[in-house]
């Protein structure tokens, strides 16, 4: 995954912590569900089973069809945790490129 995309995803998630129009949150759900599906498929092709499961779980969490009514506080917590996970992936890929 390109490193720039990970940074954009982190920024988009952190913007969700601000009071934004409802349409922004719906857009984020669609975009993140699609991106996590693609990332999961790429991990499946690379035989990275654990990461593939994580991406599929995140795609299910963010999918916009059957919305999970978690409430704003819980969604803010989820956004921060996923942002931290994406930062971890960014740092790991950057470290692996150095080798």
């Amino acid at each position: 995954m390109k490193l720039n995309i990970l940074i954009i995803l982190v920024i988009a998630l952190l913007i969700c912590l601000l009071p934004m129009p409802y349409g922004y949150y719906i857009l984020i759900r669609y975009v993140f569900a699609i991106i996590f599906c693609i990332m999961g498929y790429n991990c499946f092709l690379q035989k990275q089973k654990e990461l593939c499961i994580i991406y599929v779980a995140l795609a299910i969490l963010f999918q916009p069809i059957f919305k999970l009514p978690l409430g704003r506080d819980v969604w803010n917590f989820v956004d921060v945790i996923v942002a931290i996970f994406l930062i971890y992936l960014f740092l790991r890929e950057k470290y692996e490129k150095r080798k």
Side-chain angles (χ1 to χ4, degrees):
M1 171 76 38
K2 291 190 177 184
L3 297 178
N4 296 337
I5 294 174
L6 291 176
I7 295 299
I8 292 169
L9 294 176
V10 168
I11 292 169
L13 277 176
L14 295 178
I15 289 175
C16 287
L17 300 176
L18 303 172
M20 299 296 289
Y22 186 68
Y24 178 76
Y25 301 112
I26 297 300
L27 176 68
I28 290 297
R29 290 178 76 126
Y30 277 102
V31 169
F32 274 70
I34 292 168
I35 289 176
F36 285 139
C37 283
I38 293 169
M39 292 168 78
Y41 180 71
N42 287 339
C43 288
F44 176 75
L45 293 178
Q46 296 173 0
K47 309 278 191 235
Q48 296 175 332
K49 183 179 178 181
E50 295 83 14
L51 233 106
C52 179
I53 292 171
I54 291 171
Y55 287 138
V56 169
L58 287 172
I60 292 170
L61 178 66
F62 279 92
Q63 59 82 26
I65 298 167
F66 300 108
K67 297 179 184 175
L68 298 173
L70 299 179
R72 181 151 172 88
D73 293 334
V74 176
W75 272 114
N76 284 344
F77 180 73
V78 168
D79 291 340
V80 169
I81 296 299
V82 173
I84 290 170
F85 173 69
L86 292 174
I87 291 170
Y88 163 75
L89 290 178
F90 171 79
L91 294 175
R92 189 179 84 175
E93 283 191 34
K94 196 170 183 179
Y95 176 75
E96 287 175 359
K97 281 190 175 185
R98 279 189 180 170
K99 284 186 174 184

